[in-house]
Amino acid sequence: MHESTVVIKYGGHAMDKPELSRAFAEDLALLAGRGFRLVVVHGGGPQISALLMRLNIESRFADGLRVTDGATMEAVEMVLCGQVNKAVVSELNARGVAAAGISGRDGGLLRARRKNPALGLVGEVVSVDPALPRCLLEGGFVPVVAPVASGPDGEALNINADTAAGALAGALRAEYFVLISDVPGVLDGEGRLLPRLDGAAIASLREAGVISGGMIPKAEACLGALAAGCGRALILDGRAPSSLRRFLLEEAPLGTLVTP
């Protein structure tokens, strides 16, 4: 039995494509059966965009983050804490995984401040209180966390899911932090997979513009988790079925392993 805590950022095609989300749920059932203590933090960008379109609210992005006004934030919270969170929970429950859905606003889990006035209600995490997920883990549940935080005045703030997951992995001192993404891992300028990266390598790749866009919060989330006491951080391709299981059980050399 493993008893390792694994925080998983779940998103992209692994979450949207039915055959991949089924495979993910089956992997989690297998890993839970082997004694891994699992925490899932999910995104929901495409689902949020779809609801905003139905509500005739324009989606705008700056530096890979959604510009979030009051109306957008209401939609974000409905989609993440309602629709997506419960869909992930029921997918896991159907495979015999005892999953429980919470958001970062429950139990004071994620507290944040506004990141940048131009982004509106987008937060950066200032503190994490892992008491609630710890309590669920002790009870044999898999916490499924929606990345919404409470701001200084108790208002809901939208948090990048990669960032929220990294902060939680650090606070839980998880053995593993795994970011499931739609890319094989971090690629070099020629498009080749980089199997290992440390902080210095990430800084120089960012400088060169090789790590850009949505990969920036992923790389930063990994480094933040490691700095806070997480054991290992990995950016993994969610389009390859069972990549998570193969990495954890067979130590398969997949994705990009980030070291401090």
Side-chain angles (χ1 to χ4, degrees), residues 40 50 57 72-73 81 111 114 117 140 159 173 176-177 188 190 194 211 214 232 260:
V40 177
I57 299 171
T72 302
M73 188 64 226
C81 306
R111 295 199 186 278
R114 293 189 193 204
I159 306 287
R173 302 259 190 285
Y176 300 95
F177 169 42
D188 68 10
E190 318 288 274
L194 297 163
I211 288 181
R232 289 198 268 177

Side-chain angles (χ1 to χ4, degrees), residues 1-2 4-11 14-15 19-42 85 87-101 137 140-145 176-180 236 238 240-249:
M1 294 294 268
H2 271 270
S4 295
T5 300
V6 186
V7 174
I8 301 148
K9 154 58 187 359
Y10 179 46
M15 197 161 89
E19 68 281 10
L20 289 175
S21 67
R22 270 199 304 276
F24 175 76
E26 281 157 12
D27 279 359
L28 252 53
L30 188 99
L31 293 166
R34 296 283 179 96
F36 282 96
R37 293 154 57 99
L38 306 164
V39 180
V40 177
V41 180
H42 61 79
N85 190 274
V88 175
V89 166
S90 62
E91 182 95 54
L92 293 174
N93 285 340
R95 303 289 178 298
V97 178
L137 288 168
F141 291 94
V142 171
V144 177
V145 184
Y176 300 95
F177 169 42
V178 183
L179 270 161
I180 295 182
L236 195 62
S242 296
S243 49
L244 176 67
R245 188 191 75 216
R246 287 168 54 217
F247 170 72
L248 289 173
L249 292 181

